[in-house]
């Protein structure tokens, strides 16, 4: 039997041990699995308490079981669910019994969602939204992922694709069936109008400001500077816990340390780097190299100096910025003057500079507030964001380019314009994971009754 035709099972809840564990079974053998372990099938979509027994008739566990006959199920197939106590021994016994039933096997990663996609329960953008929702760490990530799961982009893409197919049907009808009396003679003008409106809508989505794709990965902030200026202490202050070793000895931090933060719903990765200086120690040299590389790739660098110390541009030639605060890699650099409690600087600094005491916490709330504002500006407005992945943006750009070319070519030859429209529909089909080459012919015959 082909793997896609086999019945799959997996633990769908958290890792054992846990109070309750949910085991899902999907496929044609789901009813057999359920009746073998729990007796007769319960009423569809109604929870039923059952004693699960193994093949020898011995009890496994008291469980709550549910039955979802396909196609009205999450995957479109028959689904059985077992809600059991989440002990490792219980799960091991349950999995052993399920695997002994013919044509059943453990599911691969993402296989339930893949079957739901293949059975038309969700499109590719919704599947991506589901994945993002599972991995969301902040509330803003959750809201964005939920919008995708609810079909925010998929619904628009389906509408765009249908309208492209309609415009293509008009043009291709004019090419192939111009001698048919049922086909209007002037089909080009409404087709061009529709194509232009579609191009403008997709181009507007692509031109929208914001970094909604980046919200999935988060903002990267690197704490950098010369040795022993308080980078690790600042890291601990931002994380509100001891994540980095603090020592008065220079060169304590040898490798890059990362911590994930939630700043007002924005996901932020803060990086503590090795002190950047010239050294003969090969291990510290590697740490400095990594520090420079991560700082150059960061979206924002917090360059630490001691209170009254000048920010020496020679200390970090590849990171030093012009007056606008942007470095060569496109990120931004803020000067953070630490140890203001020892004198030499105040909490009020020029624009783009901050005075703090990482050991006492002075100036930290102001720095965090500035980081939140930076994140809000960096991500832009994502509340109505359609595009959340580079794949989606690339395919929308392909569709937009094809629509633009069709407008440019329609006066020179309807055949060329029709080919570009097919390319645009294909790109949106790839976006959704649905590509059907018969769609255009279907639209033509349905609307114009060709060949009756």
């Amino acid at each position: 039997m082909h793997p896609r035709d086999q019945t799959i099972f997996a633990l769908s809840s958290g890792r054992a041990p846990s109070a309750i564990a949910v085991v899902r079974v999907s496929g044609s053998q789901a009813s057999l699995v359920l009746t073998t372990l729990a007796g007769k099938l319960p009423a569809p979509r109604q929870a039923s308490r059952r004693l699960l027994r193994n093949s020898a008739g011995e009890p496994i566990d008291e469980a709550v079981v549910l039955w979802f006959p396909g196609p009205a199920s999450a995957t479109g197939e028959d689904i059985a669910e077992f809600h059991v106590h989440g002990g490792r021994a219980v799960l091991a016994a349950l999995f052993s019994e399920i695997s002994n039933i013919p044509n059943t096997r453990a599911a691969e990663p993402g296989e339930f969602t893949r079957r739901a996609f293949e059975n038309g329960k969700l499109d590719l953008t919704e599947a991506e939204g589901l994945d993002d929702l599972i991995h969301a760490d902040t509330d803003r990530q959750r809201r964005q992922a939920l919008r995708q799961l609810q079909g925010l982009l998929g619904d628009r893409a389906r509408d765009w694709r249908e309208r492209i197919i309609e415009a293509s049907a008009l043009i291709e009808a004019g090419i192939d069936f111009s001698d048919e009396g049922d086909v209007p003679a002037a089909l080009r003008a409404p087709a061009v109008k529709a194509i232009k409106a579609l191009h403008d809508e997709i181009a507007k989505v692509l031109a929208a400001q914001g970094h909604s794709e980046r919200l999935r990965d988060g903002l990267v902030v690197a704490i950098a500077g010369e040795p022993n200026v308080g980078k690790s202490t600042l890291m601990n202050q931002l994380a509100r816990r001891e994540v980095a070793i603090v020592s008065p000895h220079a060169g304590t931090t040898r490798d890059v340390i990362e911590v994930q933060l939630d700043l007002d719903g924005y996901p932020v990765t803060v990086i503590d780097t090795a002190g950047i200086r010239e050294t003969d120690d090969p291990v510290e040299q590697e740490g400095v190299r990594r520090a420079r590389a991560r700082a150059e790739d960061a979206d924002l660098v917090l360059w630490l100096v001691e209170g009254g110390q000048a920010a020496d541009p020679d200390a970090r030639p590849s990171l030093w910025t012009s007056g606008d605060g942007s470095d060569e890699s496109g990120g931004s650099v803020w000067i953070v003057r630490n140890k203001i409690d020892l004198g030499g600087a105040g909490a009020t600094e020029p624009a783009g500079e901050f005075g703090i005491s990482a050991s006492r916490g002075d100036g930290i709330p102001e720095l965090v507030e500035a980081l939140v504002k930076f994140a809000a500006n960096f991500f832009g407005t994502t509340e109505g964001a359609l595009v959340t992945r580079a794949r989606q943006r690339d395919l929308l750009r392909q569709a937009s380019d094809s629509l633009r070319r069709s407008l440019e070519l329609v006066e020179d030859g309807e055949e060329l314009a029709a080919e570009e429209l097919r390319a645009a529909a294909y790109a949106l089909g790839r976006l959704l994971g649905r590509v059907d080459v018969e769609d255009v012919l279907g639209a033509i015959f349905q609307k114009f009754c060709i060949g009756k």
Side-chain angles (χ1 to χ4, degrees):
M1 179 176 287
H2 192 278
R4 290 187 181 179
D5 298 326
Q6 292 178 317
T7 296
I8 58 175
F9 64 90
L11 175 66
S12 294
S13 55
R15 184 177 301 176
S18 60
I20 299 295
V22 179
V23 176
R24 300 177 73 196
V25 182
S26 179
S28 60
Q29 298 291 86
S31 60
L32 177 60
V33 171
L34 191 50
T35 54
T36 299
L37 290 166
K40 65 179 183 179
L41 290 175
R45 289 170 290 280
Q46 291 187 18
S48 178
R49 182 180 177 183
R50 298 289 175 85
L51 176 64
L52 305 183
R53 296 182 181 274
N54 62 19
S55 57
E58 299 172 345
I60 297 175
D61 189 23
E62 286 276 356
V64 172
V65 299
L66 294 103
W67 168 239
F68 303 93
S73 69
T75 63
E77 303 174 332
D78 290 345
I79 288 182
E81 281 191 5
F82 299 88
H83 296 232
V84 298
H85 294 97
R88 293 188 178 91
V90 173
L91 291 172
L94 182 57
F95 289 156
S96 176
E97 290 301 315
I98 296 175
S99 62
N100 287 334
I101 296 174
N103 297 318
T104 62
R105 62 174 175 83
E108 298 176 357
E111 195 167 5
F112 284 93
T113 304
R114 178 168 179 171
R115 290 193 176 192
F117 165 72
E118 291 173 344
N119 291 322
K121 292 297 179 178
L122 72 173
D123 63 43
L124 206 52
T125 66
E126 292 167 335
E128 290 171 331
L130 177 59
D131 179 59
D132 291 345
L133 187 62
I134 291 171
H135 293 96
D137 292 322
T138 72
D139 191 57
R140 294 180 189 274
Q141 287 177 316
R142 177 193 61 80
R143 294 202 302 265
Q144 176 173 281
L146 189 58
R147 289 194 299 272
Q148 286 292 69
L149 180 58
Q150 293 172 336
L152 181 68
L153 175 60
D155 291 345
R156 292 288 298 275
R158 272 186 289 275
D159 175 65
W160 289 332
R161 188 164 181 265
E162 289 174 3
R163 289 159 61 189
I164 290 173
I165 291 170
E166 291 173 358
S168 184
L170 291 172
I171 289 180
E172 294 200 14
I175 296 172
D176 298 330
F177 306 105
S178 58
D179 57 340
E180 294 282 345
D182 291 335
V183 180
L187 296 175
R188 181 187 299 177
V192 169
K193 182 179 179 181
I195 296 167
K196 188 176 187 308
L198 283 164
H199 176 266
D200 291 345
E201 288 182 30
I202 297 176
K204 185 177 180 181
V205 170
L206 290 171
Q209 296 297 317
H211 294 70
S212 52
E213 300 103 307
R214 288 297 310 275
L215 187 61
R216 294 176 53 249
D217 302 320
L219 179 73
V220 178
V221 177
I223 303 175
E226 296 182 20
N228 207 26
V229 292
K231 298 185 297 298
S232 297
T233 305
L234 175 58
M235 174 79 150
N236 293 338
Q237 280 280 4
L238 294 176
R240 297 182 180 179
R241 55 192 174 93
E242 298 294 325
V243 295
I245 298 174
V246 176
S247 168
H249 303 290
T252 299
T253 302
R254 298 291 185 99
D255 205 349
V256 175
I257 300 172
E258 298 186 6
V259 64
Q260 310 297 321
L261 302 182
D262 179 347
L263 295 183
D264 194 31
Y266 295 108
V268 178
T269 300
V270 179
I271 302 170
D272 179 21
T273 62
I276 297 178
R277 66 171 181 174
E278 296 297 329
T279 177
D280 296 327
D281 185 334
V283 177
E284 189 175 355
Q285 286 177 351
E286 177 61 18
V288 170
R289 185 194 67 78
R290 294 185 184 186
R292 286 189 180 277
R294 292 307 302 272
E296 288 171 1
D297 291 337
D299 303 304
L300 173 65
V301 176
L302 303 182
W303 185 261
L304 258 67
V305 295
E306 291 193 8
Q309 177 185 347
D312 183 7
D314 294 332
R316 56 183 187 97
S318 63
L319 296 177
W320 197 245
T321 65
S322 59
D324 62 0
S326 298
D327 69 16
E328 297 174 1
S329 64
S332 299
V333 179
W334 292 354
I335 303 300
V336 180
R337 301 187 182 279
N338 190 23
K339 306 181 183 180
I340 59 173
D341 53 315
L342 301 180
T348 302
E349 297 290 337
E353 297 191 12
F354 299 85
I356 67 168
S357 170
S359 60
R360 295 195 321 187
D362 299 350
I364 298 298
E366 292 77 10
L367 179 60
V368 170
E369 182 181 355
L371 287 173
V372 171
K373 290 180 180 178
F374 181 88
N377 181 66
F378 179 84
F379 290 116
T381 174
T382 60
E383 287 303 316
L386 287 177
V387 181
T388 60
R389 295 190 178 219
R391 182 193 77 88
Q392 298 167 1
R393 183 171 292 277
D394 290 343
L395 288 171
L396 282 180
R397 187 174 290 111
Q398 291 177 27
S400 176
D401 291 344
S402 294
L403 290 172
R404 175 183 52 78
R405 287 192 294 268
S406 71
L407 290 171
E408 296 171 350
L409 295 170
V410 70
E411 297 297 332
D412 299 329
E414 291 175 332
E415 295 86 350
L416 297 175
E419 182 60 33
E420 291 295 343
L421 289 178
R422 280 192 287 270
Y426 182 76
L428 292 178
R430 289 178 59 199
L431 176 67
L432 296 166
R434 309 279 183 246
V435 176
D436 186 355
V437 295
E438 298 297 321
D439 281 354
V440 173
L441 286 179
I444 291 174
F445 283 96
Q446 180 181 2
K447 289 198 172 189
F448 299 104
C449 301
I450 304 299
K452 66 177 183 181

